[in-house]
Amino acid sequence: MTGALAMMPSTSSPYPLLAPPTCSSRLPPLRCFVGLRWSAPRIQVREYPDAVGGIAKGAGGRGGRFRAPASSISQPCSRTIIITNEHVQNADFPPNYSKREKKPFPIPVLELRRRAKERAKKAEGKPKRSLPPPKNGMLIKRLIPVAYKVYNARILLINNLKRLMKVIPVKGCKHCSEIHVGSVGHPFRTCKGMSSDKRRGQHDWGGTLVEAVFVPVEAYHLEDRLGKRIPHDQRFAVPRIPALVELCIQAGVNLPEYPTKRRRKPIIKIGKNEFVDANEDDLPDPEPYKLEHPILEELNDNEIIAPASPEEIVALAEETLEAWEVVRDGALKLMKGYAVRVCGYCPEVHIGASGHKARNCGAFKHQQRNGQHGWQAAVLDDLIPPRYVWHLPESGEELQRDLKSFYGQAPAIVEICVQAGAKVPEKYKATMRLDIGIPTSLREAEMVV
């Protein structure tokens, strides 16, 4: 009995015991929707009394938790401090989804149903509210400057990449879509293109274009985003433009070559899927077309001039990296206001609340769906694919095939800017594995625990 009492904590301890955690729901907590389908859970900093000393791994092996060891097990109460890294050293790369299965939904279907039931319960017995923009045909005024900013940042990003690729070599495989930033391609045998079995997965490196670095994702241009869905027999009559440009147009960017219908009054709903336009005769005549904001133009290849000095290269890399962040952050803001759909089986993207009816899906088991797309909510990486490439160490040494697990990855645009002299953003340091020591030989790598 005396030994049992010695193991119990003292009531006079300044650190009271924490209450056991409780959970009112059987479902796991939802993670933040930040452009990826699921983001990693945040690790909280807490203090635990009477914990056995040692080191515990963080979630997924990405961060460490260090616990102060107790000097004696018979102490009344020992304070335990868990220290977590805000910027983890090592993070997993984005998952590659199999082409034989459907992409996961950004938000689970069960959660969507639960939210719909809550909205219906709150709206019960209350008068129906008018539709908010953009569902009523009007624009979201606060997002119009964001749309122009994203459109200009996209043009600036393409122009700067063409200039940087004249001084920073980028290699592309002749048989697959993989690229590498460096004068010599990486030695990893990951090619799955034509005749890859004869080459044992070895890449055949050559030159590449800016489209391989900043992947163009196309979508149908809609003259009326609230109009009827595009049928299958009109799939060749509707023009296709970059999906990011179409998103900016629907958000308020006026381009003469891509006309679109702008309503000055909200629509009038007459049914679940039927509406009529409001009478605008009492309004003054619309002003002639003019540019609300200046718009940049994309340069041709013969107009591209390479930077002349090292200082100009660094400044160009910083400007390019800033444009990349503006495009990503601005596109995410626009996607929260305007619906963007993606096929769950193929990379087809549609800007609008309902996807088109063109039966041009050629993904796995498309015969069972008669070529129809499986539309679902898109995430940021569906609209702007980052195209991850291997990160070269700062030492300048070439990558070794046996040390593949020690190297990091970064988006191709970020890797080009970093090699040109730009500072590495904090959010990419985890996947680039900058703080991970790289062994100098295979024998040294085998000694790593």
Side-chain angles (χ1 to χ4, degrees):
M1 187 67 179
T2 305
L5 292 176
M7 296 293 293
M8 296 178 62
S10 174
T11 57
S12 61
S13 173
Y15 309 109
L17 288 175
L18 296 178
T22 59
C23 182
S24 59
S25 175
R26 297 182 180 179
L27 294 176
L30 287 178
R31 301 168 183 173
C32 298
F33 173 53
V34 292
L36 299 176
R37 301 199 175 273
W38 286 101
S39 62
R42 278 186 168 271
I43 304 175
Q44 299 179 353
V45 181
R46 296 180 180 178
E47 297 181 359
Y48 294 90
D50 284 342
V52 180
I55 299 178
K57 293 183 179 180
R62 300 174 187 171
R65 300 190 304 175
F66 301 90
R67 298 189 175 185
S71 58
S72 175
I73 197 172
S74 61
Q75 285 186 351
C77 182
S78 61
R79 183 177 182 179
T80 303
I81 301 177
I82 296 180
I83 304 175
T84 60
N85 232 346
E86 187 67 23
H87 303 288
V88 293
Q89 289 183 339
N90 181 13
D92 295 335
F93 307 139
N96 293 325
Y97 299 105
S98 175
K99 295 182 179 180
R100 295 180 172 237
E101 60 184 8
K102 198 173 185 291
K103 300 173 188 175
F105 289 91
I107 302 177
V109 179
L110 293 178
E111 177 63 19
L112 292 176
R113 292 176 180 174
R114 186 187 66 81
R115 295 180 182 179
K117 290 180 180 179
E118 288 183 358
R119 289 194 299 266
K121 187 176 181 180
K122 291 180 180 179
E124 187 177 358
K126 297 181 180 180
K128 289 186 177 181
R129 297 182 300 176
S130 58
L131 293 176
K135 294 181 180 180
N136 61 357
M138 307 295 288
L139 295 176
I140 304 178
K141 294 184 178 181
R142 60 181 176 82
L143 292 181
I144 295 178
V146 178
Y148 276 95
K149 191 175 181 180
V150 171
Y151 183 84
N152 287 332
R154 174 186 174 273
I155 299 298
L156 181 63
L157 178 62
I158 294 176
N159 293 338
N160 289 358
L161 280 177
K162 291 181 179 179
R163 296 184 62 191
L164 281 177
M165 290 178 64
K166 288 187 174 294
V167 293
I168 303 297
V170 180
K171 300 295 182 180
C173 182
K174 299 179 181 179
H175 304 280
C176 68
S177 60
E178 193 162 346
I179 61 176
H180 179 74
V181 181
S183 57
V184 181
H186 65 73
F188 307 132
R189 299 177 180 270
T190 55
C191 182
K192 298 181 181 179
M194 185 179 298
S195 304
S196 59
D197 53 344
K198 297 180 181 179
R199 291 177 282 107
R200 296 183 179 180
Q202 188 72 28
H203 293 280
D204 187 6
W205 298 107
T208 186
L209 300 175
V210 68
E211 288 78 12
V213 178
F214 188 58
V215 182
V217 179
E218 292 187 345
Y220 286 109
H221 171 59
L222 304 178
E223 294 186 2
D224 185 6
R225 56 186 173 86
L226 296 184
K228 295 183 178 180
R229 301 170 64 183
I230 301 174
H232 177 70
D233 54 355
Q234 295 183 7
R235 64 190 184 280
F236 298 119
V238 181
R240 289 179 66 87
I241 62 175
L244 188 58
V245 175
E246 175 64 17
L247 179 60
C248 294
I249 291 175
Q250 294 191 16
V253 175
N254 293 322
L255 299 178
E257 58 270 25
Y258 301 117
T260 183
K261 186 174 182 178
R262 302 295 188 194
R263 293 177 174 84
R264 296 185 291 170
K265 282 187 176 181
I267 61 174
I268 302 175
K269 293 277 289 185
I270 59 176
K272 184 176 181 181
N273 297 323
E274 297 180 0
F275 67 91
V276 294
D277 292 332
N279 188 8
E280 300 180 357
D281 295 340
D282 56 335
L283 298 177
D285 295 336
E287 298 180 0
Y289 172 79
K290 63 178 182 179
L291 291 176
E292 290 83 358
H293 302 270
I295 291 181
L296 301 179
E297 294 183 0
E298 186 175 342
L299 301 178
N300 298 325
D301 294 340
N302 54 2
E303 300 176 355
I304 301 300
I305 301 176
S309 61
E311 293 78 10
E312 187 178 356
I313 295 176
V314 175
L316 186 63
E318 293 285 354
E319 185 182 28
T320 305
L321 196 56
E322 183 180 357
W324 167 254
E325 296 298 331
V326 170
V327 169
R328 298 272 298 183
D329 297 341
L332 185 58
K333 293 179 182 179
L334 295 179
M335 292 177 66
K336 292 180 179 180
Y338 295 86
V340 180
R341 302 295 178 186
V342 67
C343 179
Y345 303 94
C346 71
E348 179 73 11
V349 172
H350 181 79
I351 311 299
S354 300
H356 58 78
K357 295 183 179 180
R359 299 188 297 270
N360 51 8
C361 182
F364 183 66
K365 290 187 177 179
H366 62 91
Q367 300 89 346
Q368 298 181 2
R369 294 176 278 110
N370 196 18
Q372 296 181 356
H373 295 282
W375 297 112
Q376 63 186 44
V379 296
L380 184 60
D381 287 349
D382 297 324
L383 184 66
I384 309 175
R387 284 305 299 272
Y388 277 80
V389 296
W390 293 100
H391 170 62
L392 290 180
E394 296 181 358
S395 59
E397 299 179 357
E398 296 182 3
L399 302 179
Q400 301 182 31
R401 188 174 61 182
D402 298 329
L403 304 179
K404 180 180 178 181
S405 59
F406 294 92
Y407 299 119
Q409 289 187 0
I413 297 177
V414 177
E415 180 66 17
I416 291 175
C417 297
V418 169
Q419 291 192 21
K423 185 179 179 181
V424 183
E426 291 290 339
K427 63 167 126 180
Y428 298 110
K429 288 184 178 180
T431 56
M432 295 174 73
R433 299 180 178 177
L434 300 181
D435 298 332
I436 302 298
I438 301 177
T440 57
S441 62
L442 180 60
R443 183 177 179 181
E444 184 177 349
E446 294 175 349
M447 299 171 61
V448 176
V449 180

